[in-house]
Amino acid sequence: MDRIRIVGGNRLNGSIPISGAKNAALPLMIASLLTDDTVTLDNVPRLSDVSNLSRILSNHGVDRNVPGKRLGQTVETGQTLSLCARTIVDTCAPYELVSTMRASFWVIAPLLARMGEAKVSLPGGCAIGTRPVDFLLMALEKLGATIRIEAGYAIVTAPKGLVGGHIVFPKVTVGGTHTALMAAVLARGVTTIENAAREPEVVDLAACLTKMGAKITGAGSSTIHVEGVARLNGARHSVVPDRIETGTYAMAVAMTGGDVLLEGARASDLQAALTVLEQAGVDVVNENEGVRIRRNGHGLMPVDVTTEPFPGFPTDLQAQLMGLMTRAHGTSRIRETIFENRFMHVQELARLGARVRLDGDTAYVDGVDKLTGAPVMATDLRASVSLVIGALAADGETVINRVYHLDRGFEALETKLSRCGAEVERVSG
Ligand code: UD1
């Protein structure tokens, strides 16, 4: 199993190209099931979650075409992926495939909308508390689906097709909003989605669906209206830049000090996180080419942050912020409101010398003068990258085990960091 070895202490200087967003690429790929035409996606990140989802889609009959290397293409430039679901041959997504990645459950919506039936294993994915799918199934029910749970599978049917309906989510859910959108675009009549997720990835999915011929208004606000159409066509769409990757590297630079341009990043997609960095004493400059992060000399100030749905501070940056705050001058308070049990990085950060106290959904992080390298274990996708942030500022060597978690969500991490001066390498085996 691969490991990542980091020797801390180097400042980061230079530029880091930001990849396409994993959390946008996945629903966009799934949306290809809605049409028998080709959907071509540009700027798709090279990640294990993308390859896993490709496998799941091909089991439904989706043809996948990836063009060869082009001039100027490097390991960090995104790939183009053409997906064509001309004939859906199987409406079942089996446990062996779905259990590796929670988002693959979302295939349930386009399969149901186009084929009138789907049988999808209840999901696995990151070990961050119970992550139910009750809201997703409720949304499908509101559009006329009949639902049964049997032997670990959700079996949904709508033999006469879906019909528009009124969906009110009791809690903001990204996956629920994606699912409702993908079901509603082919339903007969009008659907209203209330308390919809406003995340940029939802806006990106709605933009691609619109290119495919869907009639959607209000994406990016809490109320989305969809007027169903009989058929969708193919389209070409470029995946939005990854705001979580952007925030992660911003925190890495804040941790080590230095000056790095995050190329292609969109500040408006992570304003809450950038504001927190500014409160901590980091310079954030919005430039034409991206977002520049600078910290020279001064120590970090502690912060008080609560995770919230977009446009609030994202839960997917909570672990990284904690990694950063381990070196602040004072005590930070970080409250996690989206997922229970999303503090597994605390134990591992403690191995580097971090001092974190947990009280229910709140972590109190007492900044320390120094961290010291140690062997640590990645526990989930975002937790593992918080260890990278800690390690970049720790004295000596840190070896991160189980990096397959990192490979799910961070493209060419070691290349991007080492180009900016970090001592980081992947050790195979
Ligand atoms: C997506 C993101 C994930 C991010 C999360 C919150 C992808 C691939 N993943 O996950 O990285 O951390 O949004 O921003 O885009 N809930 C229910 N019942 C449901 C659905 C959700 O109770 O049927 C709860 C969840 O347990 C959680 C909250 O709603 O407490 C929000 O979850 P949700 O937004 O649905 O997360 P995901 O879409 O799974």
Side-chain angles (χ1 to χ4, degrees), residues 333-337 339 343 358-363:
R333 180 174 168 275
I334 302 177
R335 189 166 161 245
E336 171 60 58
T337 68
F339 293 112
F343 282 134
L358 289 180
D359 181 7
D361 65 0
T362 304

Side-chain angles (χ1 to χ4, degrees), residues 22-24 26-27 49 101-106 126 128-138 169-179 197 199 201 243-244 308-310 313-317 336-340 342 381-382 408:
K22 168 182 88 75
N23 286 357
L26 300 180
D49 269 10
M101 191 196 352
R102 187 183 150 77
S104 54
F105 186 78
W106 305 342
C126 272
I128 48 173
T130 48
R131 296 181 74 176
V133 290
D134 49 339
F135 301 157
L136 283 67
L137 295 176
M138 174 277 284
F169 285 115
K171 187 172 177 183
V172 175
T173 156
V174 173
T177 308
H178 287 322
T179 306
E199 269 68 0
E201 295 77 20
R243 64 195 168 98
I244 303 303
E308 284 166 2
F310 190 84
F313 188 94
T315 174
D316 285 352
L317 285 174
E336 171 60 58
T337 68
I338 308 293
F339 293 112
E340 71 221 47
R342 203 178 201 183
L381 171 54
R382 310 304 178 186
R408 288 189 48 211

